Amino acid sequence: MEHDYEVIVIGGGGAGLSAACAAAELGASVALLEAGTTVGGSTALSGGVFYAAGTTLQRQAGIENDTADDMYEYYMTLNQHRVNAQNVRKLCNASADAFEWLVECGVEFKPEGLYKSGIESVPRGHSPAAAGAGITQALEVRARNLGVDIALQSRVKRLHMINGVVNGIQLDDGGIVTSAAVVIATGGFGHNKYLLNKYYPEAASQGDWAWCISANTCVGDGLEMGLDVGADLDGYNRGLLLPTPGFYRNLDVMLPSWLMLVNREGRRFVCENIEYAVMSGVISSQLGGSAFAIFDEDSKKNGKPDPQFAAYYDSGFLTFNWSDDRIEEQLTTGKVVKADTIAELAEIVGILPRALENTVCEYNASVEAGADAQFNKTPELMRKVARPPFYACEIKPAIVCLTSAGLRMNENAEVLDKFGDVIKGLYAAGEVTGSVLGERYIGGGNSICNAVVFGRIAGEHAVSACRSNNN
């Protein structure tokens, strides 16, 4: 049967571009349709960190023995094995090769950009020199050089099927474009309140605090397309929420480490400079699902970003919301409260005064001793809570960074129905899938690795399957 294309890719973010390139590298005719005015999607808006084990960049840094097995063990342990082991194994095994492929495509990763992006024992976070936009720009150039037809501002309405096999797409204008295989790579559904309520209620429960930092084209249409043709859902109520005081809706996802965090019982419960990958999960597990940041006048007057993130703030990628003037502004909105004593502050926010006083006393003693007696926080990042007035603000895991509920797929990126059968002709990759990212985000770069690895797998298998069917 003649088709307009061998492979159609829906979505032009990191996953879609990777799928299109991989298919075109095998000589397939490929069309990529993107709803936005440019390709890039959420990947282009991100820091672009790529999580991988066993890369050349690691070896250049003297890390000779990190392996896919090590990454797999860390990934599964952090998720308490409540994630698809087969797909995670595939991700870990292919991560280094996908990283080298990005380098081959022209993405620059500098040695100083290698860091521990989660709570792993070795650095696996690879930061590109030009952030996420550098990745998608390089992939777009590669796709166009390979002859991929890229159509912008082209939203797909539904999948086209013949006799139970996905056979192409139907556009918004009603036109049908046929293909031997379709790859859905439309991203998540963070901008769709209905789908958040339905598939990610933990995020929806944050109410007015919740907002999404992904591309505004991420409205869940690809997920609904797949479900409409019988795909199963995987990863219900999973995603990555980032902690926020709710001051502004701008990208400031790193809580300053000089804050002291306490729960409603007035106790510290975590090392305040723990990676964002796990911070929100720890906060959400506290009574009431939130925490309180406590600080004093000195910290308010002298607040600066943590040194490790200074480059992100200097470049404008992140916005620092904890400066003196911004905190003063939030005092007028009620987001920040102040009091002359710790006991008064505790009463305002609903904490037992004596409990908070004891916590502050113990914390200040740790600062003086130069060692955190409770959580081993880096001493240089600790500041006393000693000079009045004292301040507090609530912290909630409410910024929707990504959604992880999505289409169920296997290790070949084939979409599965509720019986576990393959929906012929249909593949998926990236945030639209629900079978790779678990309850815990393993570290910065988890989502980009997922997008690129399974984007490539989807593109390659889509080509091999459609050609084997024609023989």
Side-chain angles (χ1 to χ4, degrees), residues 68-407:
D69 287 343
D70 296 328
M71 178 177 164
Y72 174 81
E73 181 180 2
Y74 166 70
Y75 200 121
M76 297 300 293
T77 301
L78 195 61
N79 281 285
Q80 299 179 59
H81 288 258
R82 292 199 291 261
V83 63
N84 187 303
Q86 194 172 32
N87 290 350
V88 170
R89 169 57 73 183
K90 191 84 167 195
L91 179 80
C92 297
N93 287 349
S95 66
D97 183 60
F99 172 81
E100 308 303 343
W101 179 74
L102 287 177
V103 173
E104 179 188 323
C105 290
V107 182
E108 182 184 4
F109 292 89
K110 295 185 176 180
E112 60 269 24
L114 181 65
Y115 72 111
K116 294 181 182 179
S117 62
I119 56 172
E120 69 274 38
S121 58
V122 295
R124 295 194 184 111
H126 300 67
S127 299
I135 292 177
T136 57
Q137 288 165 5
L139 292 179
E140 180 184 6
V141 170
R142 189 176 185 88
R144 291 188 185 279
N145 288 341
L146 288 166
V148 175
D149 287 344
I150 298 177
L152 302 175
Q153 295 181 281
S154 299
R155 191 171 286 280
V156 176
K157 186 174 184 179
R158 61 172 58 92
L159 297 172
H160 181 60
M161 296 189 79
I162 297 178
N163 298 325
V165 178
V166 173
N167 193 248
I169 58 170
Q170 181 179 337
L171 300 172
D172 254 350
D173 62 8
I176 293 175
V177 184
T178 63
S179 64
V182 173
V183 177
I184 301 178
T186 50
F189 53 88
H191 291 285
N192 188 318
K193 289 186 177 181
Y194 170 74
L195 293 182
L196 283 174
N197 274 296
K198 191 172 184 180
Y199 299 126
Y200 197 6
E202 182 182 355
S205 69
Q206 302 300 328
D208 292 340
W209 280 63
W211 64 284
C212 182
I213 63 175
S214 64
N216 59 17
T217 51
C218 294
V219 295
D221 48 351
L223 171 60
E224 293 185 302
M225 267 182 251
L227 296 177
D228 285 345
V229 297
D232 194 19
L233 182 87
D234 196 7
Y236 172 77
N237 202 28
R238 289 182 179 176
L240 176 60
L241 297 175
L242 301 175
T244 177
F247 292 171
Y248 311 96
R249 292 196 169 188
N250 57 28
L251 198 57
D252 185 16
V253 299
M254 314 294 186
L255 296 177
S257 295
W258 43 262
L259 296 171
M260 183 182 77
L261 292 180
V262 301
N263 55 26
R264 281 174 165 74
E265 297 166 311
R267 302 189 187 100
R268 288 178 71 208
F269 57 92
V270 70
C271 175
E272 288 86 354
N273 66 322
I274 196 171
E275 288 293 337
Y276 75 86
V278 296
M279 176 62 88
S280 286
V282 180
I283 291 176
S284 65
S285 69
Q286 301 305 302
L287 182 66
S290 66
F292 292 95
I294 309 294
F295 54 101
D296 72 354
E297 182 69 10
D298 284 339
S299 290
K300 171 179 172 288
K301 291 292 186 185
N302 302 299
K304 292 183 175 64
D306 289 355
Q308 68 190 102
F309 304 123
Y312 287 106
Y313 291 103
D314 291 343
S315 67
F317 182 76
L318 295 178
T319 303
F320 188 61
N321 290 329
W322 295 88
S323 58
D324 186 31
D325 59 336
R326 294 199 166 203
I327 292 172
E328 281 289 337
E329 184 177 305
Q330 294 308 311
L331 283 166
T332 66
T333 69
K335 290 283 188 183
V336 177
V337 296
K338 73 175 180 177
D340 291 330
T341 68
I342 293 297
E344 291 172 2
L345 190 71
E347 289 179 353
I348 292 173
V349 298
I351 296 174
L352 287 175
R354 185 175 175 183
L356 185 58
E357 286 176 326
N358 286 341
T359 296
V360 169
C361 183
E362 184 175 9
Y363 187 76
N364 288 345
S366 288
V367 177
E368 289 182 356
D372 184 359
Q374 283 188 291
F375 296 103
N376 200 34
K377 183 176 177 179
T378 304
E380 291 77 18
L381 299 176
M382 300 179 72
R383 293 185 186 173
K384 278 188 175 183
V385 183
R387 181 187 169 199
F390 302 102
Y391 301 87
C393 62
E394 191 171 12
I395 304 293
K396 292 185 178 182
I399 300 177
V400 183
C401 184
L402 59 88
T403 56
S404 302
L407 303 175

Side-chain angles (χ1 to χ4, degrees), residues 78 240 276-278 402 437-448:
L78 195 61
L240 176 60
Y276 75 86
V278 296
L402 59 88
L437 302 183
E439 295 176 23
R440 289 290 174 267
Y441 197 69
I442 63 165
N446 192 177
S447 61
I448 305 297

